[in-house]
Amino acid sequence: MYTVGVRDHIMVAHSLKGEQFGPAQRLHGATYTVTVEVDREELSPLGQVIETSVLRDSLRGVLAEIDYRNLDEHPAFEGKRSTPELIARHIHRELGRKLPVTAGTTLTITLHESPLVWVRYRAPIRGASMLPAEPA
């Protein structure tokens, strides 16, 4: 399996309803380092998993929609909690729609809350702009 990854970060505000979330029930800020990895069994005919500049630019475009936003007011989280797990899944789904990938590609999103705590969402890309194999 080949893997290519990039990183970026976001700053969001949100609150997590429910007693189990303790003080996080109140509106608070969170900064996440976002790591994205694209995995493929085989390289393209160009010898790549994906062009890193395309991955980086696509990630920034997806993150721009939630960066410096109050997720309690964001349409993607309307009526839902914005836990880090659900934020990672949201990034996965939005990024998966934008990436020019072929079948058999897995996308992994990791949100690092701190050097000690992270969440990860990994799944095959669905609804992507599936490209045919590049000519040799």
Side-chain angles (χ1 to χ4, degrees), residues 110-128:
T110 306
L111 265 61
H112 304 267
E113 295 187 69
S114 77
L116 304 175
V117 178
W118 68 91
V119 301
R120 181 170 290 141
Y121 184 82
R122 176 184 302 123
I125 296 176
R126 300 176 208 262

Side-chain angles (χ1 to χ4, degrees), residues 4 17 28-29 42 45 56 61-62 64 87 92 114 126:
V4 170
K17 306 297 181 225
H28 64 280
E42 301 297 328
R56 187 182 62 240
V62 168
I87 296 169
H92 182 282
S114 77
R126 300 176 208 262

Side-chain angles (χ1 to χ4, degrees), residues 7-12 32-36 56-69 74 87 90-91 94-95 98 109 111:
R7 283 198 175 115
D8 204 330
H9 75 281
I10 54 173
M11 297 171 70
V12 300
Y32 299 108
T33 300
V34 182
T35 302
V36 174
R56 187 182 62 240
D57 292 347
S58 298
L59 175 60
R60 176 52 14 214
V62 168
L63 296 182
E65 295 297 317
I66 58 175
D67 199 13
Y68 288 96
R69 299 277 306 268
H74 192 281
I87 296 169
H90 169 75
I91 294 168
E94 293 302 310
L95 187 57
K98 296 180 181 298
I109 307 295
L111 265 61

Side-chain angles (χ1 to χ4, degrees), residues 1-3 12-13 37 41 76 82 114 127-128:
M1 182 76 66
Y2 294 95
T3 303
V12 300
E37 297 174 73
E41 281 289 329
S82 55
S114 77

